[in-house]
Amino acid sequence: MATPRLVYDHDCGFCMYCVRWLLRFGEFEPVGFDELTPDQVARLPDEYENCMHLLTDDAVYSCGEAAEQSLARCGAIGRGLVRLAGVVPYWSRVRERGYRFVADRRAIWGRFRSCKSVE
């Protein structure tokens, strides 16, 4: 299987910080929105610039599900955290609302955690 592509907003310092963290523990190919190929864009939802995405050979994960699937690919601890979260009632709804809460406040979080590149 090819390395999963982690699609993110490369103009957002907080987003780049999060991608850098994921790259530290997992194996991904980071791809900024402006670096997407036409084939990759065709696989993404229409308003793809609203959240992160994880592209694998056979699936596209978006927003909170992309964050969860990325964390699940970050070793035993990441897989364990995802399994643990899965027992939370209404987990998918909680995950998406949590993702949206963080994503809608990226400028605030960026004051505390930010970087200029993912390398």
Side-chain angles (χ1 to χ4, degrees):
M1 180 166 132
T3 304
R5 289 180 177 88
L6 191 55
V7 180
Y8 68 100
D9 181 355
H10 67 285
D11 289 330
C12 169
F14 178 71
C15 299
M16 286 188 284
Y17 173 82
C18 294
V19 169
R20 182 184 277 186
W21 188 91
L22 288 166
L23 289 170
R24 182 175 176 194
F25 298 103
E27 188 176 331
F28 305 96
E29 178 186 338
V31 181
F33 290 149
D34 289 347
E35 301 166 336
L36 290 165
T37 66
D39 289 341
Q40 291 168 338
V41 170
R43 293 183 64 198
L44 295 173
D46 289 337
E47 296 180 8
Y48 69 88
E49 292 179 324
N50 287 338
C51 64
M52 71 181 287
H53 308 277
L54 185 68
L55 299 175
T56 65
D57 288 342
D58 55 352
V60 176
Y61 304 100
S62 298
C63 304
E65 188 176 26
E68 176 184 52
Q69 289 295 319
S70 297
L71 183 60
R73 290 167 167 78
C74 288
I77 293 174
R79 285 188 302 274
L81 289 171
V82 168
R83 269 196 310 272
L84 183 62
V87 301
V88 172
Y90 307 104
W91 169 243
S92 62
R93 186 181 310 164
V94 171
R95 176 191 68 210
E96 296 306 318
R97 285 186 179 173
Y99 179 89
R100 196 76 270 148
F101 178 85
V102 172
D104 289 344
R105 292 159 181 80
R106 295 179 297 171
I108 295 169
W109 309 125
R111 293 182 202 158
F112 303 101
R113 296 288 182 217
S114 184
C115 62
K116 302 246 186 249
S117 73
V118 296
E119 283 109 34

